mmCIF file of all heavy atoms in Angstrom:
data_model
loop_
_atom_site.group_PDB
_atom_site.id
_atom_site.type_symbol
_atom_site.label_atom_id
_atom_site.label_comp_id
_atom_site.label_asym_id
_atom_site.label_seq_id
_atom_site.Cartn_x
_atom_site.Cartn_y
_atom_site.Cartn_z
ATOM 1 N N ARG A 690 12.160 -7.690 1.518
ATOM 2 C CA ARG A 690 13.479 -8.300 1.100
ATOM 3 C C ARG A 690 13.615 -8.216 -0.441
ATOM 4 O O ARG A 690 14.714 -7.838 -0.987
ATOM 5 C CB ARG A 690 13.505 -9.785 1.487
ATOM 6 C CG ARG A 690 14.201 -10.086 2.727
ATOM 7 C CD ARG A 690 14.575 -11.542 2.907
ATOM 8 N NE ARG A 690 13.353 -12.390 3.026
ATOM 9 C CZ ARG A 690 12.563 -12.593 4.013
ATOM 10 N NH1 ARG A 690 12.884 -12.034 5.196
ATOM 11 N NH2 ARG A 690 11.564 -13.345 3.938
ATOM 12 N N LEU A 697 13.222 0.366 -1.938
ATOM 13 C CA LEU A 697 11.735 0.442 -1.565
ATOM 14 C C LEU A 697 11.440 -0.573 -0.420
ATOM 15 O O LEU A 697 12.057 -1.600 -0.304
ATOM 16 C CB LEU A 697 10.846 0.115 -2.767
ATOM 17 C CG LEU A 697 10.978 1.043 -3.932
ATOM 18 C CD1 LEU A 697 10.127 0.414 -5.068
ATOM 19 C CD2 LEU A 697 10.422 2.397 -3.481
ATOM 20 N N PHE A 702 6.153 0.761 -1.972
ATOM 21 C CA PHE A 702 5.700 0.113 -3.258
ATOM 22 C C PHE A 702 4.178 0.250 -3.296
ATOM 23 O O PHE A 702 3.609 0.506 -4.416
ATOM 24 C CB PHE A 702 6.079 -1.375 -3.433
ATOM 25 C CG PHE A 702 5.502 -2.011 -4.692
ATOM 26 C CD1 PHE A 702 6.138 -1.773 -5.871
ATOM 27 C CD2 PHE A 702 4.364 -2.604 -4.696
ATOM 28 C CE1 PHE A 702 5.661 -2.251 -7.031
ATOM 29 C CE2 PHE A 702 3.829 -3.158 -5.865
ATOM 30 C CZ PHE A 702 4.451 -2.999 -7.050
ATOM 31 N N GLU A 711 -4.259 4.837 -9.990
ATOM 32 C CA GLU A 711 -5.018 6.045 -10.158
ATOM 33 C C GLU A 711 -4.735 6.830 -11.504
ATOM 34 O O GLU A 711 -5.657 7.379 -11.992
ATOM 35 C CB GLU A 711 -4.635 7.039 -9.049
ATOM 36 C CG GLU A 711 -5.196 6.554 -7.650
ATOM 37 C CD GLU A 711 -6.631 6.413 -7.546
ATOM 38 O OE1 GLU A 711 -7.396 7.281 -8.157
ATOM 39 O OE2 GLU A 711 -7.110 5.525 -6.971
ATOM 40 N N ALA A 713 -4.343 5.275 -14.326
ATOM 41 C CA ALA A 713 -5.217 4.596 -15.262
ATOM 42 C C ALA A 713 -6.693 4.990 -15.092
ATOM 43 O O ALA A 713 -7.394 4.868 -16.042
ATOM 44 C CB ALA A 713 -4.936 2.999 -15.054
ATOM 45 N N ALA A 716 -9.284 10.283 -10.539
ATOM 46 C CA ALA A 716 -10.399 10.712 -9.864
ATOM 47 C C ALA A 716 -11.275 11.704 -10.634
ATOM 48 O O ALA A 716 -10.712 12.568 -11.290
ATOM 49 C CB ALA A 716 -9.939 11.256 -8.540
ATOM 50 N N GLY A 722 -4.010 11.179 -13.383
ATOM 51 C CA GLY A 722 -2.810 10.523 -12.865
ATOM 52 C C GLY A 722 -2.439 10.896 -11.451
ATOM 53 O O GLY A 722 -1.375 10.578 -10.910
ATOM 54 N N LEU A 740 1.747 8.115 6.448
ATOM 55 C CA LEU A 740 1.599 8.303 4.995
ATOM 56 C C LEU A 740 2.270 9.638 4.473
ATOM 57 O O LEU A 740 2.978 9.617 3.598
ATOM 58 C CB LEU A 740 0.156 8.279 4.558
ATOM 59 C CG LEU A 740 -0.117 8.329 3.080
ATOM 60 C CD1 LEU A 740 0.702 7.225 2.322
ATOM 61 C CD2 LEU A 740 -1.539 8.337 2.738
ATOM 62 N N GLU A 748 8.963 11.791 -2.398
ATOM 63 C CA GLU A 748 9.107 12.958 -3.019
ATOM 64 C C GLU A 748 10.600 13.360 -2.980
ATOM 65 O O GLU A 748 11.202 13.818 -4.041
ATOM 66 C CB GLU A 748 8.319 14.106 -2.447
ATOM 67 C CG GLU A 748 8.307 15.365 -3.129
ATOM 68 C CD GLU A 748 7.426 16.442 -2.556
ATOM 69 O OE1 GLU A 748 7.220 16.517 -1.289
ATOM 70 O OE2 GLU A 748 6.815 17.217 -3.318
ATOM 71 N N VAL A 765 -4.207 17.851 -0.711
ATOM 72 C CA VAL A 765 -2.973 17.692 -1.462
ATOM 73 C C VAL A 765 -3.086 16.561 -2.396
ATOM 74 O O VAL A 765 -3.500 15.423 -2.164
ATOM 75 C CB VAL A 765 -1.760 17.408 -0.391
ATOM 76 C CG1 VAL A 765 -0.527 17.140 -1.118
ATOM 77 C CG2 VAL A 765 -1.612 18.463 0.599
ATOM 78 N N ALA A 768 1.304 12.592 -7.238
ATOM 79 C CA ALA A 768 1.371 11.912 -8.533
ATOM 80 C C ALA A 768 2.835 11.236 -8.769
ATOM 81 O O ALA A 768 3.808 11.856 -8.185
ATOM 82 C CB ALA A 768 1.121 12.875 -9.616
ATOM 83 N N ARG A 790 4.932 -16.235 -3.701
ATOM 84 C CA ARG A 790 5.625 -17.259 -2.860
ATOM 85 C C ARG A 790 4.974 -17.375 -1.452
ATOM 86 O O ARG A 790 4.764 -18.489 -0.961
ATOM 87 C CB ARG A 790 7.105 -16.734 -2.622
ATOM 88 C CG ARG A 790 8.092 -16.932 -3.685
ATOM 89 C CD ARG A 790 9.495 -16.685 -3.363
ATOM 90 N NE ARG A 790 9.798 -15.322 -2.975
ATOM 91 C CZ ARG A 790 10.061 -14.328 -3.810
ATOM 92 N NH1 ARG A 790 9.997 -14.547 -5.078
ATOM 93 N NH2 ARG A 790 10.318 -13.142 -3.370
ATOM 94 N N ASP A 795 1.074 -19.656 -8.334
ATOM 95 C CA ASP A 795 2.057 -19.675 -9.433
ATOM 96 C C ASP A 795 2.084 -18.194 -10.084
ATOM 97 O O ASP A 795 1.065 -17.543 -10.092
ATOM 98 C CB ASP A 795 1.630 -20.702 -10.499
ATOM 99 C CG ASP A 795 1.829 -22.041 -10.057
ATOM 100 O OD1 ASP A 795 2.558 -22.351 -9.193
ATOM 101 O OD2 ASP A 795 0.948 -22.953 -10.522
#
Side-chain angles (χ1 to χ4, degrees):
R690 264 194 300 279
L697 293 174
F702 179 83
E711 292 298 321
L740 178 60
E748 186 177 38
V765 175
R790 283 190 300 276
D795 295 329

